[in-house]
Amino acid sequence: MINALATEVLKARRSRVPWVTALAFTVAAAVGGLFMFILQNQDRARSLGLLGTKAALVGGEADWPTYFSFLAQTTAVGGMLVFGLVLVWLFGREFSQNTVKDLLALPTARTTIVAAKFVMALVWCLILSVQLVLLGLLIGTVLGLPGWTADVVVSGVAMIAAVAVMTVLLATPIALAASVGRGYLPGVGVMMTAVFCAQVVAALGYGQYFPWSVPALFSGLAGADRVSPGPLGVLLVVLVGTAGVAATALWWRNADQDR
């Protein structure tokens, strides 16, 4: 397991994908900071061309709770895309670059290889979430956002962490799609379908029963009037994550690699 995990770390170190994902979360934190700046200084934002002359922002305050909420919502939606990209790359690259046969020829169990990839994905995605939180704290401090208390910070960071873990669990079927489809495109297709369906189902009011809508509901993205996912929604997320890991490991163990 240690050798398999070390191999995945080495692959990531030699790739540009980690830098792309880190850039994506950096932009997300910066965009949140820009929104907070506009909410703080709407007149100045208009003078700088950041806000239309007749436009006005409503429904939010430039403070720490709002900023943490925005970061959690970004993790729920953007995280599905970025975390999905991580899993697509970890699993799909072996087929797209024709390295899967060499990998499976090693004296390492196939399930161990899959486990190493999922551990790598989890650590990678959690590091991105930590980066988002740290950048958010830095940007919020620079902007001088009001409302800083220990309770606000703890609850805000806890929400981001919970949303990140749920999003990683929901991304596991993407690994299965990239494996069964033997490449990047099937994984990307499943990822985009999940994001689209999550938005539609949440808008229809049934998001608490659709696992991929749960992180957005939990973060408050769908609005305060939407039903909270509750224990049932969290349970569905855990079941999807468990099924995704188990199905991927089962496929890798039994599938014939004939090409």
Side-chain angles (χ1 to χ4, degrees):
M1 179 64 182
I2 295 177
N3 291 335
L5 187 57
T7 300
E8 296 302 325
V9 172
L10 181 61
K11 293 175 185 177
R13 284 179 54 194
R14 294 180 175 179
S15 172
R16 295 189 179 92
V17 176
W19 297 104
V20 172
T21 57
L23 177 61
F25 268 51
T26 300
V27 171
V31 169
L34 177 62
F35 286 164
M36 294 301 103
F37 172 78
I38 293 175
L39 284 170
Q40 279 182 320
N41 309 276
Q42 293 196 32
D43 292 336
R44 186 178 179 186
R46 289 192 185 92
S47 67
L48 294 174
L50 300 176
L51 192 64
T53 304
K54 297 182 178 180
L57 294 180
V58 296
E61 298 290 337
D63 55 19
W64 280 105
T66 302
Y67 192 28
F68 278 126
S69 178
F70 176 86
L71 295 179
Q73 293 167 13
T74 299
T75 304
V77 179
M80 190 64 191
L81 297 175
V82 177
F83 297 167
L85 174 63
V86 170
L87 284 163
V88 165
W89 182 80
L90 285 172
F91 286 86
R93 70 179 298 276
E94 307 295 355
F95 301 94
S96 296
Q97 298 180 10
N98 296 317
T99 59
V100 64
K101 289 185 177 181
D102 298 329
L103 186 65
L104 297 180
L106 298 174
T108 303
R110 295 185 179 189
T111 52
T112 301
I113 294 173
V114 172
K117 287 181 178 294
F118 276 119
V119 170
M120 180 65 187
L122 176 62
V123 174
W124 187 339
C125 295
L126 291 181
I127 289 175
L128 290 176
S129 301
V130 171
Q131 172 197 339
L132 183 68
V133 171
L134 293 178
L135 286 175
L137 292 174
L138 176 62
I139 293 172
T141 301
V142 171
L143 292 175
L145 295 178
W148 174 280
T149 65
D151 290 340
V152 167
V153 174
V154 171
S155 62
V157 172
M159 178 181 292
I160 295 172
V163 170
V165 171
M166 287 191 290
T167 306
V168 173
L169 290 173
L170 292 172
T172 56
I174 296 173
L176 176 62
S179 300
V180 175
R182 301 175 188 268
Y184 297 121
L185 290 181
V188 172
V190 169
M191 177 178 66
M192 299 303 296
T193 300
V195 172
F196 174 77
C197 291
Q199 304 304 312
V200 173
V201 174
L204 294 175
Y206 297 98
Q208 68 271 27
Y209 305 115
F210 188 67
W212 287 270
S213 299
V214 170
L217 291 177
F218 188 81
S219 67
L221 180 62
D225 59 328
R226 297 296 181 183
V227 178
S228 174
L232 175 60
V234 175
L235 176 61
L236 291 174
V237 170
V238 173
L239 290 177
V240 168
T242 303
V245 172
T248 304
L250 186 64
W251 185 88
W252 273 69
R253 189 185 71 178
N254 297 328
D256 291 329
Q257 308 297 341
D258 56 355
R259 57 188 173 92

